[in-house]
Amino acid sequence: MKQTVLLLGSGALKIGEAGEFDYSGSQAIKALKEEGVRVILVNPNIATIQTSEGLADEIYFLPVTAAFVEKVIAKEHPNGILLSFGGQTALNCGIDLYRQGILKKYHVSILGTPISAILATEDRKEFVEKLATIGVPTARGKTVFRMHDIAAVARDIGYPVMVRAGFALGGMGSGIATNLRELERLAQNALAMSPQIVIEQSLFGWKEVEYEVVRDKNDNCITVCNMENLDPVGIHTGESIVVAPSQTLNDSEYYRFRQMSIQAIRMLGIIGECNIQFAIHPTSGEILVIEVNARLSRSSALASKATGYPLAYVAAKLAIGKTLPEIPNLMTGQTTAFFEPAIDYIVVKMPRWDLDKFSRVENTIGSEMKSVGEVMSIARSFEEAIQKASRMLHDGYAGVIDPLFVGEKKSALLNKLTHSTTIRLFTICSAIYRGISIDEIYRRTNIDRWFLYKLQNIVSVYKELEVANHLDTALLLKAKKFGFSDKQIADIRKVAEKVIRNKRSLSHIRPFTKRIDTMAGEFPAITNYLYCTYNATGSDPLPASNKPRIMALGCGPYSIGTSVEFDWCAVNTVQTLKKHGYEVIMVNCNPETVSTDFDISDRLYFEELSQERILDIYAAEHAPCIVSVGGQVSNNLAFPLAVAGVPIVGTKPANIYRAEHRKTFSNLLDSLHIPQPEWGEVRSLESAIKKVQRIGFPILVRPSFVLSGKAMDVIHNEKDLVSYVQHHQFDLIEYPMVMTKFLTGALEFDLDGVAQVGKQLVWAPNFIISWFPRRLRLCTHFM
């Protein structure tokens, strides 16, 4: 009889639990099915790959809570349950099932990491005591259950103190208190969401390092990846820029971290994978353990994509009793999973925020997570990698130096450096540009000088580009090696982007394609997991194929309006094309996605979704593009790619433009005699005031070619209109503002359909509000 395993998903996407758990759950299902295991999945998230037909044997779209999961257990009678692939939601549910006696009642075993280890990592008091028995130090602190006790505990430790909520997600409820008043506020909020809080010494300003560690039932242990946060302790790792492998550790520190990681995973009895976060004092070298996550996390997904080591896949195999030497290395096909990856490149992870979509929200960052997504860039130097990552965010930055900030006064920049914000990186580079010393920036930010000097290198090249009388081949190549894009160079030199691209082409300056193989070239890789770099002397050879090729563009970083639904579209597109005999090339830069698993597509380029980079890849692959499955980011590339000569599969770029461009779309509606609300397109405050006199308040305002209502608002009077236009003046340079009569009381419907010509057109008796000629949602309002 087949073994049956119950897998708990993470439920709805939320800050701290996003697409990374779709990735880990999908990998787990794949690993279990290979071993002949019957998989039962509980996850109510319909937009995920793991809930698609053909993966799990049975799927229950139910809340991941003890009450609902018990009903599934009673019906399916699983032999075991997996808790570590669904984030904190699955872990908390598993703890409830254990404490309520449900698992014991139905004779269900917890697979992989035992419940004792899970409880030890979640209960701070037990966690500290266990690590103390093996001499692994943690921050001084105490677990508190009542408000009455907080003052005495903080007094014993000494201010400032860190407050953490137990069993919490994404640092929720945490913060640093410098006095009793701040402590009371933090503690009250934390105790409202958790039965316990931890008050401990603040390590703000220390460096933070993470390790991904794996252990099997026979006590075989490996460290898969070590990562270093650019930001100091006190900034949640989900909010920080993260670099892999670590760049500022010496050999002694590296050895100590590795030894402490293995000691900790053995003492806690974890089987599978865990994430360990450390703090190291920047001058004394003292090391403390911050926390251990006895489950897969966003850092696990990053480490897996950074190294090519399939952590979730391996962890699932270990959970059902396999050992590391028994599991093959899928990247090489010649070695086993019992090895520590060696990488000959550098990876930079950068978070993506969408705080501008909310009013009265501060852009400061700290111990509580606010980011909604992230990107991962791969290169051969830190300078190249961080410049690529800044563009991958699709927040309008051409690189780490932005003209919007470099003109600021030194006093304003110095004040901004004191506070950690979402634009901190760009503020630092602007400060360097304005002549503020590295020592002064370090004093205000606590960011290691190694990173600051690397950013200074980029600023130096920026200034070279500004003052050079002539952009010669040597300077152009230098700029490309330091991560400057064609557009960035063009903006500095005040020429068109195509001028730089043509000059680069004539000078034979092209990026090289390199392969990720987990073994730094010691063994040949059988996969095609690729990235582009200018810091190389040649490309790695790629196998030839006679199959027709298609390139699919992914969604880029998750943001509000772009989430796992686009990864679902991309993965299903790839799978369908492969079934029809195509060789599929995937381009994406999001480490949380299933589409960036190395074994999903025939070739994976972990790269920027920019016109420049897609043209570079097209020059090597000569594959037509599908842009309709990656959301607005890839959809916006359709027209410029087509103009540059790249064939676009599906809806013609001209028709995409006709739907996205309001004036062209309006003309189409008029030609079809379909009524539409009054509207106007403006680029200045003066024209906006003139147009609104014709349209009349209230109006709906938004830029063109944007996603999920970004910068969209309802305006009821001229005063609010003036305020809106002044606030969004910078956006109007690139995108005109569309003003449409707001249909008060209108109903909204979401309808999906694909016409034979590849368009989606839905109309209602009175008004068509929007039309999207791409997969996913379209929105129709009518009175």
Side-chain angles (χ1 to χ4, degrees):
M1 186 177 177
K2 268 189 177 183
Q3 182 183 8
T4 299
V5 170
L6 177 62
L7 176 67
L8 301 185
S10 61
L13 299 188
K14 56 193 85 72
I15 291 176
E17 281 183 344
E20 67 269 23
F21 295 109
D22 187 28
Y23 148 76
S24 61
S26 299
Q27 285 270 325
I29 293 171
K30 175 184 173 182
L32 295 173
K33 297 286 283 183
E34 286 179 356
E35 301 299 328
V37 175
R38 181 171 176 265
V39 182
I40 310 299
L41 174 67
V42 178
N43 192 356
N45 192 333
I46 59 172
T48 56
I49 299 297
Q50 62 184 248
T51 54
S52 298
E53 186 180 2
L55 286 178
D57 295 277
E58 297 291 342
I59 303 168
Y60 288 85
F61 291 94
L62 294 172
V64 186
T65 62
F68 283 98
V69 173
E70 181 182 10
K71 296 179 186 296
V72 176
I73 291 173
K75 180 182 177 183
E76 297 289 350
H77 304 289
N79 306 101
I81 186 171
L82 286 172
L83 308 178
S84 58
F85 297 87
Q88 196 66 44
T89 296
L91 214 58
N92 288 348
C93 178
I95 292 171
D96 289 342
L97 291 169
Y98 169 77
R99 286 178 170 166
Q100 293 174 26
I102 294 170
L103 299 180
K104 184 177 180 180
K105 175 182 175 182
Y106 293 98
H107 309 289
V108 179
S109 302
I110 294 177
L111 302 177
T113 300
I115 191 66
S116 59
I118 294 172
L119 293 174
T121 57
E122 294 293 316
D123 187 301
R124 192 69 183 183
K125 183 173 182 294
E126 186 178 352
F127 173 71
V128 170
E129 290 172 352
K130 276 185 173 291
L131 291 187
T133 62
I134 56 171
V136 174
T138 56
R140 290 184 297 108
K142 190 172 182 179
T143 303
V144 178
F145 302 90
R146 302 179 302 166
M147 286 291 295
H148 177 74
D149 300 325
I150 63 171
V153 172
R155 190 167 51 248
D156 290 342
I157 296 170
Y159 289 103
V161 293
M162 169 64 78
V163 178
R164 300 177 188 274
F167 306 94
L169 171 69
M172 188 179 294
S174 66
I176 295 174
T178 59
N179 54 55
L180 180 59
R181 184 176 179 180
E182 292 176 359
L183 175 64
E184 287 176 340
R185 177 180 57 82
L186 285 169
Q188 192 166 26
N189 290 339
L191 283 170
M193 65 182 72
S194 174
Q196 61 174 244
I197 62 172
V198 179
I199 301 175
E200 59 189 16
Q201 71 179 109
S202 171
L203 304 177
F204 186 80
W206 292 39
K207 294 197 296 186
E208 184 167 346
V209 176
E210 294 182 73
Y211 267 69
E212 297 296 324
V213 195
V214 175
R215 175 177 176 266
D216 66 20
K217 66 178 184 181
N218 289 348
D219 206 27
N220 295 310
C221 297
I222 57 169
T223 57
V224 171
C225 185
N226 77 317
M227 299 171 283
E228 179 175 5
N229 288 14
L230 183 143
D231 296 286
V233 174
I235 306 300
H236 191 284
T237 189
E239 304 287 270
S240 179
I241 295 170
V242 178
V243 182
S246 58
Q247 299 296 303
T248 70
L249 302 181
N250 59 39
D251 286 344
S252 173
E253 290 166 343
Y254 176 83
Y255 176 78
R256 287 163 63 200
F257 278 122
R258 184 179 180 279
Q259 287 300 104
M260 290 170 71
S261 297
I262 291 174
Q263 282 179 291
I265 196 172
R266 282 176 169 160
M267 162 54 67
L268 294 169
I270 292 170
I271 296 176
E273 187 270 355
C274 76
N275 165 264
I276 305 180
Q277 296 170 19
F278 295 95
I280 178 170
H281 194 278
T283 54
S284 70
E286 180 185 2
I287 296 175
L288 300 176
V289 172
I290 300 173
E291 67 177 356
V292 175
N293 289 310
R295 57 174 173 80
L296 287 110
S297 64
R298 180 172 291 189
S299 294
S300 307
L302 174 65
S304 189
K305 303 301 171 69
T307 61
Y309 191 100
L311 278 166
Y313 174 88
V314 171
K317 297 273 189 180
L318 298 180
I320 57 173
K322 291 284 185 178
T323 63
L324 286 167
E326 293 176 321
I327 303 170
N329 178 355
L330 300 179
M331 292 290 277
T332 66
Q334 300 178 34
T335 56
T336 72
F338 191 24
F339 77 101
E340 296 188 345
I343 60 179
D344 53 3
Y345 48 86
I346 188 168
V347 166
V348 169
K349 180 272 286 186
M350 196 174 289
R352 160 73 187 249
W353 296 272
D354 264 354
L355 302 182
D356 58 340
K357 290 184 179 175
F358 302 94
S359 58
R360 296 184 294 277
V361 175
E362 295 182 354
N363 72 338
T364 55
I365 56 175
S367 60
E368 193 167 13
M369 193 169 164
K370 295 179 181 178
S371 63
V372 295
E374 63 189 31
V375 297
M376 185 184 94
S377 70
I378 310 172
R380 288 294 183 95
S381 73
F382 175 78
E383 293 93 335
E384 186 181 24
I386 199 161
Q387 289 253 70
K388 286 172 68 174
S390 65
R391 291 190 290 272
M392 288 173 172
L393 292 174
H394 293 284
D395 263 344
Y397 302 112
V400 297
I401 310 174
D402 193 278
L404 185 64
F405 303 114
V406 294
E408 287 193 83
K409 293 181 179 179
K410 283 188 178 181
S411 57
L413 290 169
L414 287 168
N415 181 58
K416 286 183 176 182
L417 288 172
T418 307
H419 308 285
S420 301
T421 68
T422 57
I423 58 171
R424 189 182 206 183
L425 173 65
F426 309 101
T427 302
I428 289 170
C429 291
S430 298
I432 296 172
Y433 181 90
R434 297 284 291 159
I436 298 173
S437 70
I438 295 298
D439 286 341
E440 180 63 23
I441 296 171
Y442 171 74
R443 188 178 70 80
R444 290 174 180 266
T445 64
N446 291 301
I447 293 175
D448 194 283
R449 288 180 178 84
W450 187 92
F451 295 115
L452 298 179
Y453 281 117
K454 290 294 184 180
L455 294 175
Q456 188 179 59
N457 292 342
I458 299 172
V459 174
S460 296
V461 176
Y462 187 97
K463 289 184 174 181
E464 282 187 64
L465 290 167
E466 278 187 317
V467 302
N469 292 325
H470 172 66
L471 181 62
D472 58 25
T473 301
L475 181 54
L476 179 56
L477 177 59
K478 182 179 182 180
K480 299 307 289 185
K481 286 187 173 182
F482 277 79
F484 285 82
S485 67
D486 289 350
K487 185 180 187 306
Q488 195 176 7
I489 298 169
D491 289 345
I492 297 169
R493 302 293 300 178
K494 295 179 172 56
V495 298
E497 182 180 352
K498 65 180 180 181
V499 172
I500 303 300
R501 186 168 188 88
N502 290 340
K503 182 175 181 60
R504 191 161 58 80
S505 178
L506 291 171
S507 302
H508 304 289
I509 299 174
R510 300 183 182 90
F512 297 104
T513 301
K514 306 299 288 184
R515 179 190 283 116
I516 290 174
D517 62 6
T518 76
M519 305 294 283
E522 185 177 352
F523 291 89
I526 61 173
T527 60
N528 291 308
Y529 181 6
L530 311 167
Y531 67 98
C532 298
T533 180
Y534 285 91
N535 289 286
T537 56
S539 296
D540 291 337
L542 299 175
S545 172
N546 293 324
K547 290 182 178 180
R549 296 178 184 175
I550 289 184
M551 177 163 45
L553 305 188
C555 62
Y558 289 150
S559 59
I560 296 175
T562 299
S563 192
V564 290
E565 63 270 20
F566 291 108
D567 194 40
W568 181 91
C569 290
V571 171
N572 277 273
T573 297
V574 171
Q575 292 172 340
T576 302
L577 289 170
K578 289 174 77 172
K579 286 179 183 177
H580 285 80
Y582 286 90
E583 184 177 277
V584 186
I585 301 159
M586 170 58 61
V587 184
N588 205 354
C589 56
N590 187 338
E592 303 176 71
T593 57
V594 177
S595 63
T596 52
D597 275 354
F598 65 87
D599 58 349
I600 292 294
S601 55
D602 295 287
R603 290 184 185 175
L604 166 65
Y605 281 86
F606 223 107
E607 272 301 332
E608 301 174 55
L609 291 163
S610 65
Q611 179 185 357
E612 176 184 341
R613 190 42 41 92
I614 301 305
L615 289 177
D616 290 335
I617 296 171
Y618 178 75
E621 300 286 358
H622 304 288
C625 257
I626 292 181
V627 301
S628 59
V629 297
Q632 194 70 46
V633 168
S634 58
N635 210 54
N636 284 349
L637 288 171
F639 198 74
L641 288 177
V643 170
V646 178
I648 303 299
V649 177
T651 305
K652 292 180 179 179
N655 289 334
I656 294 175
Y657 182 83
R658 184 161 55 162
E660 296 280 1
H661 187 259
R662 185 70 209 186
K663 186 174 182 179
T664 309
F665 178 56
S666 177
N667 292 338
L668 170 66
L669 297 184
D670 288 341
S671 70
L672 297 173
H673 306 291
I674 298 175
Q676 58 183 299
E678 287 287 328
W679 73 280
E681 187 177 87
V682 299
R683 289 183 180 271
S684 66
L685 177 58
E686 293 74 19
S687 60
I689 292 173
K690 187 176 180 180
K691 289 278 187 185
V692 80
Q693 291 173 354
R694 176 176 60 83
I695 298 172
F697 290 108
I699 56 171
L700 184 69
V701 293
R702 64 177 178 85
S704 301
F705 299 94
V706 297
L707 175 71
S708 68
K710 184 174 183 179
M712 183 181 288
D713 205 352
V714 178
I715 304 295
H716 293 274
N717 53 61
E718 188 172 311
K719 180 182 176 182
D720 290 344
L721 177 61
V722 171
S723 176
Y724 176 91
V725 173
Q726 289 175 343
H727 179 72
H728 294 281
Q729 192 70 42
F730 181 74
D731 295 338
L732 294 180
I733 297 172
E734 187 169 2
Y735 300 116
M737 183 176 75
V738 175
M739 304 167 55
T740 309
K741 179 66 177 177
F742 181 67
L743 305 179
T744 305
L747 300 179
E748 181 172 325
F749 294 90
D750 283 357
L751 300 174
D752 286 318
V754 180
Q756 187 175 356
V757 293
K759 302 178 190 175
Q760 295 176 328
L761 178 61
V762 176
W763 64 278
N766 289 26
F767 295 111
I768 291 181
I769 296 301
S770 55
W771 169 35
F772 297 88
R774 54 186 167 89
R775 297 178 66 177
L776 268 194
R777 299 180 181 85
L778 40 89
C779 191
T780 300
H781 298 246
F782 67 92
M783 297 293 288

